[in-house]
Amino acid sequence: MAKRIISAIVGISFILLVIFLSHTWHILIDIFMALVCAVAVGEFVHATGLLKKYLISIPSIAFAFCNAMLFSYGYQSIIWYVYTAIMLSAMIFFHEKLSFREVSDTYGMTIIISYGLATVISMKNLDVAHSSFYFILALALPWLADGGAYFAGSFFGKHKLCPKISPKKTVEGVIGGVIGCVGFCCLMGYIFSAFIYKDIQSINYVNLIILSFVGSLLSVLGDLSFSLVKRTYGIKDYGNLIPGHGGVLDRFDSVVFVSPFLLISLTYLPVLA
């Protein structure tokens, strides 16, 4: 648990530094998330034994990086088309070396991971003046839900949630994660309103509670989905880059589900009023 906490502190500090510097160099967030996308896809193809299938692994990692870097500029369709053409061409011309499952698994997971994480970048386009709040919310919400579930499950967990997919997840952990996520998101809203925006910008706590409640449940869905992929391939973690947490994809799997939800929902349920 100590490694997990230390890694979380170091990681959060680094992300806050990126956000602070991004006010001067806006491209830093793009670069940061592009690297996260590329590493996450790289971890997937490595963990599933497909990294040395260079005809599909290299284009997938490159697509993840380029898609995130150019996501804010409206080039998603072009990049997706080029990537799809490369993957299908590789499957056709090298069908003796590449199976359909290898291509389809890599392609499908690359699309899910890269587009899901790239939506974090779009948070800064919702409201440029307050982009840091939305960016932090997209990352903090699923991490708070996961952290709350981990601690609640460790102390109070008795009833298994999905033992065949994720043996350590419990019903009590999920409930604790939801409650903790809602509470800390409201606390974060208060801190931003009182100390950063200095009461010039108010927080719509009703909308924030709704988004954090639904988002925390979606984070569980994301976690279980990627856990099922790990069970399918017989792996424990996607990587070991983050001590106590596994790989980057192990830490960002819930963000893949939660960030697109926030990007859509914030249009109809704005938090900043």
PDB file of all heavy atoms in Angstrom, residues 175-213:
ATOM      1  N   ILE A 175     -19.378   0.965  -3.346  1.00  0.00           N
ATOM      2  CA  ILE A 175     -20.182   1.958  -2.620  1.00  0.00           C
ATOM      3  C   ILE A 175     -19.281   3.013  -1.989  1.00  0.00           C
ATOM      4  O   ILE A 175     -19.545   4.215  -2.076  1.00  0.00           O
ATOM      5  CB  ILE A 175     -21.038   1.261  -1.533  1.00  0.00           C
ATOM      6  CG1 ILE A 175     -22.065   0.338  -2.183  1.00  0.00           C
ATOM      7  CG2 ILE A 175     -21.746   2.311  -0.660  1.00  0.00           C
ATOM      8  CD1 ILE A 175     -22.848  -0.511  -1.194  1.00  0.00           C
ATOM      9  N   GLY A 176     -18.205   2.565  -1.359  1.00  0.00           N
ATOM     10  CA  GLY A 176     -17.264   3.503  -0.753  1.00  0.00           C
ATOM     11  C   GLY A 176     -16.608   4.388  -1.795  1.00  0.00           C
ATOM     12  O   GLY A 176     -16.380   5.584  -1.558  1.00  0.00           O
ATOM     13  N   GLY A 177     -16.314   3.808  -2.961  1.00  0.00           N
ATOM     14  CA  GLY A 177     -15.721   4.584  -4.044  1.00  0.00           C
ATOM     15  C   GLY A 177     -16.648   5.667  -4.558  1.00  0.00           C
ATOM     16  O   GLY A 177     -16.210   6.801  -4.815  1.00  0.00           O
ATOM     17  N   VAL A 178     -17.917   5.338  -4.695  1.00  0.00           N
ATOM     18  CA  VAL A 178     -18.903   6.318  -5.169  1.00  0.00           C
ATOM     19  C   VAL A 178     -19.054   7.458  -4.169  1.00  0.00           C
ATOM     20  O   VAL A 178     -19.021   8.639  -4.533  1.00  0.00           O
ATOM     21  CB  VAL A 178     -20.275   5.637  -5.413  1.00  0.00           C
ATOM     22  CG1 VAL A 178     -21.344   6.694  -5.693  1.00  0.00           C
ATOM     23  CG2 VAL A 178     -20.189   4.659  -6.577  1.00  0.00           C
ATOM     24  N   ILE A 179     -19.210   7.102  -2.889  1.00  0.00           N
ATOM     25  CA  ILE A 179     -19.376   8.126  -1.845  1.00  0.00           C
ATOM     26  C   ILE A 179     -18.126   9.013  -1.760  1.00  0.00           C
ATOM     27  O   ILE A 179     -18.211  10.240  -1.701  1.00  0.00           O
ATOM     28  CB  ILE A 179     -19.652   7.466  -0.478  1.00  0.00           C
ATOM     29  CG1 ILE A 179     -20.996   6.731  -0.511  1.00  0.00           C
ATOM     30  CG2 ILE A 179     -19.642   8.515   0.637  1.00  0.00           C
ATOM     31  CD1 ILE A 179     -21.279   5.913   0.731  1.00  0.00           C
ATOM     32  N   GLY A 180     -16.960   8.388  -1.759  1.00  0.00           N
ATOM     33  CA  GLY A 180     -15.719   9.146  -1.682  1.00  0.00           C
ATOM     34  C   GLY A 180     -15.520  10.040  -2.892  1.00  0.00           C
ATOM     35  O   GLY A 180     -15.079  11.193  -2.763  1.00  0.00           O
ATOM     36  N   CYS A 181     -15.849   9.524  -4.068  1.00  0.00           N
ATOM     37  CA  CYS A 181     -15.699  10.303  -5.302  1.00  0.00           C
ATOM     38  C   CYS A 181     -16.590  11.538  -5.288  1.00  0.00           C
ATOM     39  O   CYS A 181     -16.137  12.640  -5.594  1.00  0.00           O
ATOM     40  CB  CYS A 181     -16.024   9.418  -6.509  1.00  0.00           C
ATOM     41  SG  CYS A 181     -15.925  10.277  -8.088  1.00  0.00           S
ATOM     42  N   VAL A 182     -17.858  11.357  -4.928  1.00  0.00           N
ATOM     43  CA  VAL A 182     -18.793  12.488  -4.873  1.00  0.00           C
ATOM     44  C   VAL A 182     -18.319  13.528  -3.865  1.00  0.00           C
ATOM     45  O   VAL A 182     -18.304  14.729  -4.141  1.00  0.00           O
ATOM     46  CB  VAL A 182     -20.218  12.001  -4.525  1.00  0.00           C
ATOM     47  CG1 VAL A 182     -21.145  13.192  -4.286  1.00  0.00           C
ATOM     48  CG2 VAL A 182     -20.773  11.122  -5.638  1.00  0.00           C
ATOM     49  N   GLY A 183     -17.899  13.056  -2.685  1.00  0.00           N
ATOM     50  CA  GLY A 183     -17.451  13.970  -1.639  1.00  0.00           C
ATOM     51  C   GLY A 183     -16.209  14.755  -2.031  1.00  0.00           C
ATOM     52  O   GLY A 183     -16.167  15.985  -1.878  1.00  0.00           O
ATOM     53  N   PHE A 184     -15.216  14.080  -2.576  1.00  0.00           N
ATOM     54  CA  PHE A 184     -13.965  14.752  -2.941  1.00  0.00           C
ATOM     55  C   PHE A 184     -14.127  15.650  -4.162  1.00  0.00           C
ATOM     56  O   PHE A 184     -13.451  16.679  -4.278  1.00  0.00           O
ATOM     57  CB  PHE A 184     -12.858  13.726  -3.178  1.00  0.00           C
ATOM     58  CG  PHE A 184     -12.185  13.282  -1.926  1.00  0.00           C
ATOM     59  CD1 PHE A 184     -12.459  12.032  -1.381  1.00  0.00           C
ATOM     60  CD2 PHE A 184     -11.285  14.112  -1.265  1.00  0.00           C
ATOM     61  CE1 PHE A 184     -11.841  11.618  -0.207  1.00  0.00           C
ATOM     62  CE2 PHE A 184     -10.660  13.711  -0.092  1.00  0.00           C
ATOM     63  CZ  PHE A 184     -10.943  12.461   0.444  1.00  0.00           C
ATOM     64  N   CYS A 185     -15.009  15.279  -5.078  1.00  0.00           N
ATOM     65  CA  CYS A 185     -15.269  16.150  -6.234  1.00  0.00           C
ATOM     66  C   CYS A 185     -15.926  17.454  -5.779  1.00  0.00           C
ATOM     67  O   CYS A 185     -15.603  18.531  -6.300  1.00  0.00           O
ATOM     68  CB  CYS A 185     -16.163  15.437  -7.257  1.00  0.00           C
ATOM     69  SG  CYS A 185     -15.274  14.248  -8.296  1.00  0.00           S
ATOM     70  N   CYS A 186     -16.826  17.347  -4.819  1.00  0.00           N
ATOM     71  CA  CYS A 186     -17.449  18.560  -4.268  1.00  0.00           C
ATOM     72  C   CYS A 186     -16.407  19.405  -3.532  1.00  0.00           C
ATOM     73  O   CYS A 186     -16.424  20.645  -3.626  1.00  0.00           O
ATOM     74  CB  CYS A 186     -18.586  18.182  -3.319  1.00  0.00           C
ATOM     75  SG  CYS A 186     -20.057  17.521  -4.139  1.00  0.00           S
ATOM     76  N   LEU A 187     -15.509  18.742  -2.813  1.00  0.00           N
ATOM     77  CA  LEU A 187     -14.431  19.459  -2.127  1.00  0.00           C
ATOM     78  C   LEU A 187     -13.523  20.155  -3.138  1.00  0.00           C
ATOM     79  O   LEU A 187     -13.130  21.311  -2.934  1.00  0.00           O
ATOM     80  CB  LEU A 187     -13.619  18.486  -1.276  1.00  0.00           C
ATOM     81  CG  LEU A 187     -12.395  19.079  -0.551  1.00  0.00           C
ATOM     82  CD1 LEU A 187     -12.824  20.175   0.429  1.00  0.00           C
ATOM     83  CD2 LEU A 187     -11.621  17.973   0.170  1.00  0.00           C
ATOM     84  N   MET A 188     -13.222  19.477  -4.236  1.00  0.00           N
ATOM     85  CA  MET A 188     -12.399  20.069  -5.282  1.00  0.00           C
ATOM     86  C   MET A 188     -13.091  21.281  -5.886  1.00  0.00           C
ATOM     87  O   MET A 188     -12.469  22.317  -6.147  1.00  0.00           O
ATOM     88  CB  MET A 188     -12.113  19.042  -6.375  1.00  0.00           C
ATOM     89  CG  MET A 188     -11.134  19.530  -7.438  1.00  0.00           C
ATOM     90  SD  MET A 188     -10.825  18.278  -8.710  1.00  0.00           S
ATOM     91  CE  MET A 188     -12.319  18.437  -9.689  1.00  0.00           C
ATOM     92  N   GLY A 189     -14.419  21.171  -6.082  1.00  0.00           N
ATOM     93  CA  GLY A 189     -15.186  22.294  -6.609  1.00  0.00           C
ATOM     94  C   GLY A 189     -15.123  23.489  -5.673  1.00  0.00           C
ATOM     95  O   GLY A 189     -14.972  24.632  -6.122  1.00  0.00           O
ATOM     96  N   TYR A 190     -15.221  23.216  -4.381  1.00  0.00           N
ATOM     97  CA  TYR A 190     -15.152  24.301  -3.398  1.00  0.00           C
ATOM     98  C   TYR A 190     -13.780  24.968  -3.394  1.00  0.00           C
ATOM     99  O   TYR A 190     -13.671  26.194  -3.320  1.00  0.00           O
ATOM    100  CB  TYR A 190     -15.467  23.756  -1.999  1.00  0.00           C
ATOM    101  CG  TYR A 190     -15.221  24.776  -0.910  1.00  0.00           C
ATOM    102  CD1 TYR A 190     -16.120  25.827  -0.684  1.00  0.00           C
ATOM    103  CD2 TYR A 190     -14.072  24.703  -0.109  1.00  0.00           C
ATOM    104  CE1 TYR A 190     -15.882  26.774   0.300  1.00  0.00           C
ATOM    105  CE2 TYR A 190     -13.834  25.640   0.870  1.00  0.00           C
ATOM    106  CZ  TYR A 190     -14.742  26.679   1.074  1.00  0.00           C
ATOM    107  OH  TYR A 190     -14.488  27.628   2.039  1.00  0.00           O
ATOM    108  N   ILE A 191     -12.724  24.167  -3.458  1.00  0.00           N
ATOM    109  CA  ILE A 191     -11.358  24.711  -3.459  1.00  0.00           C
ATOM    110  C   ILE A 191     -11.140  25.619  -4.671  1.00  0.00           C
ATOM    111  O   ILE A 191     -10.590  26.719  -4.557  1.00  0.00           O
ATOM    112  CB  ILE A 191     -10.324  23.571  -3.449  1.00  0.00           C
ATOM    113  CG1 ILE A 191     -10.375  22.841  -2.102  1.00  0.00           C
ATOM    114  CG2 ILE A 191      -8.914  24.110  -3.712  1.00  0.00           C
ATOM    115  CD1 ILE A 191      -9.523  21.596  -2.042  1.00  0.00           C
ATOM    116  N   PHE A 192     -11.593  25.163  -5.832  1.00  0.00           N
ATOM    117  CA  PHE A 192     -11.441  25.975  -7.042  1.00  0.00           C
ATOM    118  C   PHE A 192     -12.247  27.267  -6.927  1.00  0.00           C
ATOM    119  O   PHE A 192     -11.769  28.345  -7.274  1.00  0.00           O
ATOM    120  CB  PHE A 192     -11.884  25.194  -8.278  1.00  0.00           C
ATOM    121  CG  PHE A 192     -10.761  24.502  -8.986  1.00  0.00           C
ATOM    122  CD1 PHE A 192     -10.311  23.267  -8.551  1.00  0.00           C
ATOM    123  CD2 PHE A 192     -10.145  25.084 -10.082  1.00  0.00           C
ATOM    124  CE1 PHE A 192      -9.264  22.621  -9.199  1.00  0.00           C
ATOM    125  CE2 PHE A 192      -9.103  24.454 -10.741  1.00  0.00           C
ATOM    126  CZ  PHE A 192      -8.661  23.211 -10.302  1.00  0.00           C
ATOM    127  N   SER A 193     -13.483  27.154  -6.427  1.00  0.00           N
ATOM    128  CA  SER A 193     -14.356  28.322  -6.331  1.00  0.00           C
ATOM    129  C   SER A 193     -13.839  29.344  -5.328  1.00  0.00           C
ATOM    130  O   SER A 193     -13.820  30.548  -5.596  1.00  0.00           O
ATOM    131  CB  SER A 193     -15.769  27.883  -5.942  1.00  0.00           C
ATOM    132  OG  SER A 193     -16.614  28.993  -5.763  1.00  0.00           O
ATOM    133  N   ALA A 194     -13.398  28.873  -4.162  1.00  0.00           N
ATOM    134  CA  ALA A 194     -13.019  29.777  -3.075  1.00  0.00           C
ATOM    135  C   ALA A 194     -11.595  30.320  -3.193  1.00  0.00           C
ATOM    136  O   ALA A 194     -11.351  31.479  -2.846  1.00  0.00           O
ATOM    137  CB  ALA A 194     -13.197  29.068  -1.733  1.00  0.00           C
ATOM    138  N   PHE A 195     -10.673  29.494  -3.694  1.00  0.00           N
ATOM    139  CA  PHE A 195      -9.267  29.893  -3.647  1.00  0.00           C
ATOM    140  C   PHE A 195      -8.637  30.178  -5.010  1.00  0.00           C
ATOM    141  O   PHE A 195      -7.697  30.970  -5.095  1.00  0.00           O
ATOM    142  CB  PHE A 195      -8.446  28.813  -2.927  1.00  0.00           C
ATOM    143  CG  PHE A 195      -8.899  28.569  -1.521  1.00  0.00           C
ATOM    144  CD1 PHE A 195      -9.683  27.466  -1.213  1.00  0.00           C
ATOM    145  CD2 PHE A 195      -8.557  29.453  -0.505  1.00  0.00           C
ATOM    146  CE1 PHE A 195     -10.123  27.239   0.087  1.00  0.00           C
ATOM    147  CE2 PHE A 195      -8.982  29.234   0.796  1.00  0.00           C
ATOM    148  CZ  PHE A 195      -9.768  28.126   1.099  1.00  0.00           C
ATOM    149  N   ILE A 196      -9.132  29.540  -6.047  1.00  0.00           N
ATOM    150  CA  ILE A 196      -8.549  29.756  -7.374  1.00  0.00           C
ATOM    151  C   ILE A 196      -9.366  30.772  -8.167  1.00  0.00           C
ATOM    152  O   ILE A 196      -8.828  31.731  -8.718  1.00  0.00           O
ATOM    153  CB  ILE A 196      -8.436  28.430  -8.139  1.00  0.00           C
ATOM    154  CG1 ILE A 196      -7.494  27.479  -7.378  1.00  0.00           C
ATOM    155  CG2 ILE A 196      -7.918  28.668  -9.570  1.00  0.00           C
ATOM    156  CD1 ILE A 196      -7.359  26.113  -8.000  1.00  0.00           C
ATOM    157  N   TYR A 197     -10.675  30.554  -8.214  1.00  0.00           N
ATOM    158  CA  TYR A 197     -11.543  31.515  -8.909  1.00  0.00           C
ATOM    159  C   TYR A 197     -11.978  32.654  -8.002  1.00  0.00           C
ATOM    160  O   TYR A 197     -12.584  33.611  -8.451  1.00  0.00           O
ATOM    161  CB  TYR A 197     -12.783  30.794  -9.462  1.00  0.00           C
ATOM    162  CG  TYR A 197     -12.456  29.710 -10.458  1.00  0.00           C
ATOM    163  CD1 TYR A 197     -13.173  28.523 -10.479  1.00  0.00           C
ATOM    164  CD2 TYR A 197     -11.411  29.867 -11.371  1.00  0.00           C
ATOM    165  CE1 TYR A 197     -12.873  27.517 -11.392  1.00  0.00           C
ATOM    166  CE2 TYR A 197     -11.105  28.874 -12.273  1.00  0.00           C
ATOM    167  CZ  TYR A 197     -11.848  27.702 -12.280  1.00  0.00           C
ATOM    168  OH  TYR A 197     -11.541  26.713 -13.184  1.00  0.00           O
ATOM    169  N   LYS A 198     -11.708  32.491  -6.689  1.00  0.00           N
ATOM    170  CA  LYS A 198     -11.991  33.516  -5.672  1.00  0.00           C
ATOM    171  C   LYS A 198     -13.439  34.010  -5.743  1.00  0.00           C
ATOM    172  O   LYS A 198     -13.722  35.196  -5.722  1.00  0.00           O
ATOM    173  CB  LYS A 198     -11.015  34.691  -5.831  1.00  0.00           C
ATOM    174  CG  LYS A 198      -9.548  34.284  -5.674  1.00  0.00           C
ATOM    175  CD  LYS A 198      -8.637  35.479  -5.720  1.00  0.00           C
ATOM    176  CE  LYS A 198      -7.182  35.067  -5.697  1.00  0.00           C
ATOM    177  NZ  LYS A 198      -6.805  34.243  -4.536  1.00  0.00           N
ATOM    178  N   ASP A 199     -14.353  33.058  -5.829  1.00  0.00           N
ATOM    179  CA  ASP A 199     -15.806  33.297  -5.817  1.00  0.00           C
ATOM    180  C   ASP A 199     -16.314  34.075  -7.034  1.00  0.00           C
ATOM    181  O   ASP A 199     -17.495  34.434  -7.096  1.00  0.00           O
ATOM    182  CB  ASP A 199     -16.225  34.036  -4.543  1.00  0.00           C
ATOM    183  CG  ASP A 199     -16.005  33.173  -3.306  1.00  0.00           C
ATOM    184  OD1 ASP A 199     -16.251  31.956  -3.403  1.00  0.00           O
ATOM    185  OD2 ASP A 199     -15.578  33.712  -2.274  1.00  0.00           O
ATOM    186  N   ILE A 200     -15.438  34.340  -7.996  1.00  0.00           N
ATOM    187  CA  ILE A 200     -15.891  34.984  -9.246  1.00  0.00           C
ATOM    188  C   ILE A 200     -16.653  33.969 -10.085  1.00  0.00           C
ATOM    189  O   ILE A 200     -17.612  34.299 -10.773  1.00  0.00           O
ATOM    190  CB  ILE A 200     -14.676  35.537 -10.034  1.00  0.00           C
ATOM    191  CG1 ILE A 200     -13.982  36.624  -9.220  1.00  0.00           C
ATOM    192  CG2 ILE A 200     -15.105  36.069 -11.390  1.00  0.00           C
ATOM    193  CD1 ILE A 200     -12.721  37.147  -9.872  1.00  0.00           C
ATOM    194  N   GLN A 201     -16.209  32.722 -10.016  1.00  0.00           N
ATOM    195  CA  GLN A 201     -16.853  31.630 -10.748  1.00  0.00           C
ATOM    196  C   GLN A 201     -17.464  30.676  -9.739  1.00  0.00           C
ATOM    197  O   GLN A 201     -16.769  30.149  -8.866  1.00  0.00           O
ATOM    198  CB  GLN A 201     -15.824  30.894 -11.603  1.00  0.00           C
ATOM    199  CG  GLN A 201     -16.425  29.952 -12.631  1.00  0.00           C
ATOM    200  CD  GLN A 201     -16.912  30.663 -13.857  1.00  0.00           C
ATOM    201  OE1 GLN A 201     -16.247  31.531 -14.369  1.00  0.00           O
ATOM    202  NE2 GLN A 201     -18.100  30.310 -14.325  1.00  0.00           N
ATOM    203  N   SER A 202     -18.771  30.463  -9.800  1.00  0.00           N
ATOM    204  CA  SER A 202     -19.439  29.586  -8.843  1.00  0.00           C
ATOM    205  C   SER A 202     -19.539  28.161  -9.396  1.00  0.00           C
ATOM    206  O   SER A 202     -19.436  27.933 -10.594  1.00  0.00           O
ATOM    207  CB  SER A 202     -20.844  30.115  -8.530  1.00  0.00           C
ATOM    208  OG  SER A 202     -21.636  30.160  -9.703  1.00  0.00           O
ATOM    209  N   ILE A 203     -19.743  27.228  -8.493  1.00  0.00           N
ATOM    210  CA  ILE A 203     -19.840  25.817  -8.851  1.00  0.00           C
ATOM    211  C   ILE A 203     -21.288  25.356  -8.726  1.00  0.00           C
ATOM    212  O   ILE A 203     -21.950  25.625  -7.724  1.00  0.00           O
ATOM    213  CB  ILE A 203     -18.960  24.953  -7.929  1.00  0.00           C
ATOM    214  CG1 ILE A 203     -17.492  25.378  -8.024  1.00  0.00           C
ATOM    215  CG2 ILE A 203     -19.113  23.470  -8.267  1.00  0.00           C
ATOM    216  CD1 ILE A 203     -16.841  25.108  -9.352  1.00  0.00           C
ATOM    217  N   ASN A 204     -21.789  24.692  -9.756  1.00  0.00           N
ATOM    218  CA  ASN A 204     -23.117  24.094  -9.697  1.00  0.00           C
ATOM    219  C   ASN A 204     -22.961  22.714  -9.062  1.00  0.00           C
ATOM    220  O   ASN A 204     -22.630  21.737  -9.744  1.00  0.00           O
ATOM    221  CB  ASN A 204     -23.710  23.985 -11.105  1.00  0.00           C
ATOM    222  CG  ASN A 204     -25.160  23.525 -11.100  1.00  0.00           C
ATOM    223  OD1 ASN A 204     -25.541  22.666 -10.298  1.00  0.00           O
ATOM    224  ND2 ASN A 204     -25.967  24.082 -11.979  1.00  0.00           N
ATOM    225  N   TYR A 205     -23.191  22.632  -7.762  1.00  0.00           N
ATOM    226  CA  TYR A 205     -22.922  21.398  -7.036  1.00  0.00           C
ATOM    227  C   TYR A 205     -23.909  20.282  -7.382  1.00  0.00           C
ATOM    228  O   TYR A 205     -23.563  19.100  -7.284  1.00  0.00           O
ATOM    229  CB  TYR A 205     -22.929  21.662  -5.528  1.00  0.00           C
ATOM    230  CG  TYR A 205     -21.709  22.408  -5.066  1.00  0.00           C
ATOM    231  CD1 TYR A 205     -21.754  23.789  -4.843  1.00  0.00           C
ATOM    232  CD2 TYR A 205     -20.498  21.752  -4.863  1.00  0.00           C
ATOM    233  CE1 TYR A 205     -20.624  24.485  -4.435  1.00  0.00           C
ATOM    234  CE2 TYR A 205     -19.366  22.444  -4.441  1.00  0.00           C
ATOM    235  CZ  TYR A 205     -19.442  23.809  -4.234  1.00  0.00           C
ATOM    236  OH  TYR A 205     -18.318  24.493  -3.835  1.00  0.00           O
ATOM    237  N   VAL A 206     -25.115  20.638  -7.773  1.00  0.00           N
ATOM    238  CA  VAL A 206     -26.092  19.607  -8.177  1.00  0.00           C
ATOM    239  C   VAL A 206     -25.571  18.855  -9.394  1.00  0.00           C
ATOM    240  O   VAL A 206     -25.548  17.619  -9.435  1.00  0.00           O
ATOM    241  CB  VAL A 206     -27.471  20.230  -8.471  1.00  0.00           C
ATOM    242  CG1 VAL A 206     -28.420  19.176  -9.040  1.00  0.00           C
ATOM    243  CG2 VAL A 206     -28.053  20.856  -7.213  1.00  0.00           C
ATOM    244  N   ASN A 207     -25.131  19.608 -10.403  1.00  0.00           N
ATOM    245  CA  ASN A 207     -24.587  18.977 -11.608  1.00  0.00           C
ATOM    246  C   ASN A 207     -23.305  18.213 -11.311  1.00  0.00           C
ATOM    247  O   ASN A 207     -23.064  17.129 -11.861  1.00  0.00           O
ATOM    248  CB  ASN A 207     -24.317  20.036 -12.684  1.00  0.00           C
ATOM    249  CG  ASN A 207     -25.599  20.592 -13.281  1.00  0.00           C
ATOM    250  OD1 ASN A 207     -26.672  20.069 -13.034  1.00  0.00           O
ATOM    251  ND2 ASN A 207     -25.475  21.648 -14.055  1.00  0.00           N
ATOM    252  N   LEU A 208     -22.483  18.771 -10.425  1.00  0.00           N
ATOM    253  CA  LEU A 208     -21.224  18.109 -10.073  1.00  0.00           C
ATOM    254  C   LEU A 208     -21.493  16.786  -9.364  1.00  0.00           C
ATOM    255  O   LEU A 208     -20.806  15.784  -9.623  1.00  0.00           O
ATOM    256  CB  LEU A 208     -20.382  19.032  -9.181  1.00  0.00           C
ATOM    257  CG  LEU A 208     -18.998  18.504  -8.783  1.00  0.00           C
ATOM    258  CD1 LEU A 208     -18.163  18.177 -10.016  1.00  0.00           C
ATOM    259  CD2 LEU A 208     -18.272  19.520  -7.903  1.00  0.00           C
ATOM    260  N   ILE A 209     -22.489  16.763  -8.496  1.00  0.00           N
ATOM    261  CA  ILE A 209     -22.843  15.521  -7.794  1.00  0.00           C
ATOM    262  C   ILE A 209     -23.367  14.481  -8.777  1.00  0.00           C
ATOM    263  O   ILE A 209     -23.001  13.301  -8.713  1.00  0.00           O
ATOM    264  CB  ILE A 209     -23.893  15.806  -6.701  1.00  0.00           C
ATOM    265  CG1 ILE A 209     -23.249  16.596  -5.561  1.00  0.00           C
ATOM    266  CG2 ILE A 209     -24.496  14.499  -6.170  1.00  0.00           C
ATOM    267  CD1 ILE A 209     -24.231  17.091  -4.517  1.00  0.00           C
ATOM    268  N   ILE A 210     -24.207  14.906  -9.716  1.00  0.00           N
ATOM    269  CA  ILE A 210     -24.748  13.973 -10.721  1.00  0.00           C
ATOM    270  C   ILE A 210     -23.622  13.378 -11.560  1.00  0.00           C
ATOM    271  O   ILE A 210     -23.552  12.161 -11.768  1.00  0.00           O
ATOM    272  CB  ILE A 210     -25.773  14.686 -11.635  1.00  0.00           C
ATOM    273  CG1 ILE A 210     -27.008  15.089 -10.827  1.00  0.00           C
ATOM    274  CG2 ILE A 210     -26.180  13.776 -12.795  1.00  0.00           C
ATOM    275  CD1 ILE A 210     -27.995  15.941 -11.599  1.00  0.00           C
ATOM    276  N   LEU A 211     -22.729  14.243 -12.035  1.00  0.00           N
ATOM    277  CA  LEU A 211     -21.637  13.788 -12.896  1.00  0.00           C
ATOM    278  C   LEU A 211     -20.669  12.878 -12.145  1.00  0.00           C
ATOM    279  O   LEU A 211     -20.208  11.861 -12.682  1.00  0.00           O
ATOM    280  CB  LEU A 211     -20.883  14.994 -13.463  1.00  0.00           C
ATOM    281  CG  LEU A 211     -21.643  15.864 -14.464  1.00  0.00           C
ATOM    282  CD1 LEU A 211     -20.801  17.060 -14.889  1.00  0.00           C
ATOM    283  CD2 LEU A 211     -22.043  15.048 -15.690  1.00  0.00           C
ATOM    284  N   SER A 212     -20.345  13.242 -10.912  1.00  0.00           N
ATOM    285  CA  SER A 212     -19.410  12.417 -10.138  1.00  0.00           C
ATOM    286  C   SER A 212     -20.036  11.084  -9.751  1.00  0.00           C
ATOM    287  O   SER A 212     -19.345  10.058  -9.706  1.00  0.00           O
ATOM    288  CB  SER A 212     -18.936  13.174  -8.895  1.00  0.00           C
ATOM    289  OG  SER A 212     -20.032  13.579  -8.097  1.00  0.00           O
ATOM    290  N   PHE A 213     -21.333  11.071  -9.495  1.00  0.00           N
ATOM    291  CA  PHE A 213     -22.026   9.820  -9.146  1.00  0.00           C
ATOM    292  C   PHE A 213     -22.035   8.864 -10.339  1.00  0.00           C
ATOM    293  O   PHE A 213     -21.612   7.709 -10.233  1.00  0.00           O
ATOM    294  CB  PHE A 213     -23.459  10.108  -8.694  1.00  0.00           C
ATOM    295  CG  PHE A 213     -24.273   8.874  -8.407  1.00  0.00           C
ATOM    296  CD1 PHE A 213     -24.107   8.195  -7.213  1.00  0.00           C
ATOM    297  CD2 PHE A 213     -25.182   8.389  -9.336  1.00  0.00           C
ATOM    298  CE1 PHE A 213     -24.854   7.047  -6.938  1.00  0.00           C
ATOM    299  CE2 PHE A 213     -25.916   7.242  -9.081  1.00  0.00           C
ATOM    300  CZ  PHE A 213     -25.755   6.570  -7.874  1.00  0.00           C
TER     301      PHE A 213
END
